[in-house]
Amino acid sequence: MLKWLAMVLIALQALLQYRLWLGEGGLRELAEVRQRVARLETENAPLRARNARLAAEVVDLKNGLDAIEERARSDIGMVRRDEQFFWVPDAVDAGGGGRTP
């Protein structure tokens, strides 16, 4: 009786060991998944760097266009199509600047 119990326990242990090492979700599959993850991380690294560069470029373009528009408004008096321009002369220019003819 004890002999049969030992044989059953050994068979059960062998079955569990097989599932652990070679079965579905076992260590072999875990190693394969880790290798796949490492490969994909390596492939994704340049893409992440590219995405970061593109995001920075978008921010620069947005801020750059705002800066260009502000400079065009202040330096050369540009106005957008949906705006109205009102010119108000300076007090010095309107009164002749206090100069005598």
Side-chain angles (χ1 to χ4, degrees):
M1 169 82 175
L2 192 57
K3 192 178 206 182
W4 287 101
L5 181 60
M7 299 268 282
V8 169
L9 290 176
I10 289 173
L12 184 60
Q13 184 178 8
L15 178 65
L16 290 174
Q17 287 293 317
Y18 171 79
R19 291 193 64 196
L20 173 67
W21 293 102
L22 303 173
E24 183 179 341
L27 294 177
R28 182 178 53 132
E29 188 175 338
L30 177 64
E32 290 172 2
V33 168
R34 285 184 177 166
Q35 287 175 351
R36 193 174 344 137
V37 167
R39 188 183 77 246
L40 291 174
E41 286 290 334
T42 303
E43 291 175 10
N44 285 341
L47 298 174
R48 283 194 179 112
R50 179 178 164 250
N51 285 347
R53 284 192 309 272
L54 289 173
E57 187 175 337
V58 166
V59 169
D60 286 345
L61 287 173
K62 283 183 179 178
N63 293 337
L65 291 177
D66 290 342
I68 291 169
E69 181 181 350
E70 182 63 33
R71 187 158 186 187
R73 288 172 175 274
S74 65
D75 291 353
I76 57 176
M78 290 191 73
V79 180
R80 287 190 297 206
R81 292 179 191 263
D82 61 341
E83 296 179 331
Q84 291 183 356
F85 176 74
F86 295 97
W87 180 68
V88 179
D90 291 336
V92 173
D93 292 341
R99 287 180 257 144
T100 54

